Amino acid sequence: MSITREEIRTQSVRSKVIEPGYAWIRLSQFQERTVEDFATKIEQIYKQEPNLKGLVLDLRNDPGGLLDAAVAVSAAFLPENVTVVSTNGQLAESKFTYKASPEFYARRGADPLKRLPAALKTVPLVVLVNEGSASASEIVAGALQDYKRATIMGNQTFGKGSVQTVRPLGPDTGLKLTTARYFTPSGKSIQAKGIVPDVMVDETLEGSPFAVLRTREADLEKHLNSGQGAEVKDPGREKAREEAMKRLEDESRKTPEQRRPPQFGS
């Protein structure tokens, strides 16, 4: 079965009213049309539930994407003109602050957030993240956490907080350089640290060995450090990785009938 580009685009933002008064909206990546689709889904939620009591923003396994889309999604929930994320590097051009204002995210002068209800700025919000949440999704989670606008729930995120700049070398060649790091509004580096949830929650009752073993930015050889002090390995995470390896080894010895397939949270 073939999947069209339109179907892929619309699948990047999904939503559902979970029960009366509570809704869920899922962003799987930050694309060119994400902000427009996000605004449309929010409108549909409020049309079905005008007195929304709570919203879940699901950023699990969202690898990121466009920076302006992350700024826009953050701005949908934050007061106007507050800092969403900043960059800092050795060059003057690498030092910049992105704010919750249309000039930092609106494309071709159009601001999709204008049509959103004012209640979205104050509705109780939970953001779900895990080890697969990276880059733009970490920017959103970090901003909402710093302003205490949302409760961040799940597992520590990937930690991709570096800025890449392409320098043209010719008509069809270029050189990509890492020129800066991303920082949350309070000044915390995202690089190699990620966002630590307010509430740590495993995706299954018994935890997921696959999640524990997933490689994060800090696990990559010769990765860029956070720029905020020496890195210290988390003893708890290292112990969990050892236990996960043992569980997977034990699982591999079982017959196909005895094996339990992984179950992930809905």
Side-chain angles (χ1 to χ4, degrees):
M1 183 180 68
S2 62
I3 299 178
T4 66
R5 180 176 297 181
E6 178 68 15
E7 288 174 323
I8 294 175
R9 179 184 70 78
T10 55
Q11 287 173 2
S12 69
V13 182
R14 291 180 291 158
S15 65
K16 182 179 182 181
V17 173
I18 304 170
E19 59 181 72
Y22 298 92
W24 165 86
I25 184 164
R26 158 81 174 152
L27 302 184
S28 60
Q29 53 189 308
F30 290 82
Q31 301 175 325
E32 185 175 350
R33 288 277 307 181
T34 294
V35 180
E36 178 69 32
D37 294 342
F38 168 80
T40 299
K41 293 294 186 182
I42 291 293
E43 285 183 305
Q44 292 173 354
I45 288 172
Y46 271 94
K47 185 175 182 181
Q48 187 173 347
E49 288 291 331
N51 298 313
L52 194 66
K53 299 177 183 178
L55 180 66
V56 175
L57 175 62
D58 193 344
L59 300 178
R60 291 175 297 175
N61 297 318
D62 184 330
L66 300 177
L67 173 60
D68 58 354
V71 174
V73 171
S74 302
F77 300 103
L78 294 173
E80 188 175 357
N81 215 39
V82 299
T83 295
V84 172
V85 67
S86 61
T87 62
N88 193 7
Q90 294 183 338
L91 302 178
E93 63 190 73
S94 66
K95 305 177 191 297
F96 199 79
T97 299
Y98 297 84
K99 296 181 177 291
S101 175
E103 65 184 281
F104 294 94
Y105 63 78
R107 292 171 176 263
R108 296 177 290 276
D111 181 9
L113 304 187
K114 274 189 174 181
R115 62 180 196 259
L116 297 182
L120 188 64
K121 297 283 188 182
T122 56
V123 65
L125 181 65
V126 169
V127 178
L128 301 181
V129 296
N130 65 4
E131 300 87 348
S133 306
S135 190
S137 56
E138 294 178 288
I139 288 173
V140 175
L144 297 178
Q145 183 182 56
D146 276 6
Y147 290 111
K148 301 187 186 307
R149 176 62 188 87
T151 297
I152 312 301
M153 185 178 294
N155 287 304
Q156 187 172 353
T157 60
F158 183 79
K160 199 285 182 184
S162 59
V163 182
Q164 280 71 48
T165 302
V166 177
R167 302 295 190 190
L169 298 179
D172 56 359
T173 59
L175 179 65
K176 180 181 285 188
L177 302 172
T178 298
T179 55
R181 297 179 178 88
Y182 284 118
F183 295 86
T184 69
S186 66
K188 293 181 293 186
S189 175
I190 294 174
Q191 175 61 21
K193 286 188 173 182
I195 304 301
V196 179
D198 303 306
V199 181
M200 300 289 285
V201 180
D202 282 324
E203 292 190 356
T204 70
L205 184 61
E206 299 177 350
S208 171
F210 302 100
V212 173
L213 294 173
R214 177 179 281 168
T215 299
R216 295 175 60 248
E217 180 81 7
D219 299 320
L220 301 176
E221 187 177 357
K222 297 182 180 179
H223 67 272
L224 178 68
N225 63 27
S226 68
Q228 294 183 329
E231 292 182 10
V232 179
K233 287 193 174 183
D234 183 353
R237 185 166 186 266
E238 293 304 309
K239 181 180 179 182
R241 289 174 72 91
E242 292 177 7
E243 293 174 348
M245 283 297 297
K246 187 177 184 304
R247 285 174 57 192
L248 290 177
E249 289 173 0
D250 293 341
E251 194 73 15
S252 68
R253 298 189 186 98
K254 296 179 180 179
T255 64
E257 292 76 18
Q258 294 173 321
R259 294 176 188 172
R260 293 175 55 191
Q263 297 179 350
F264 298 99
S266 62

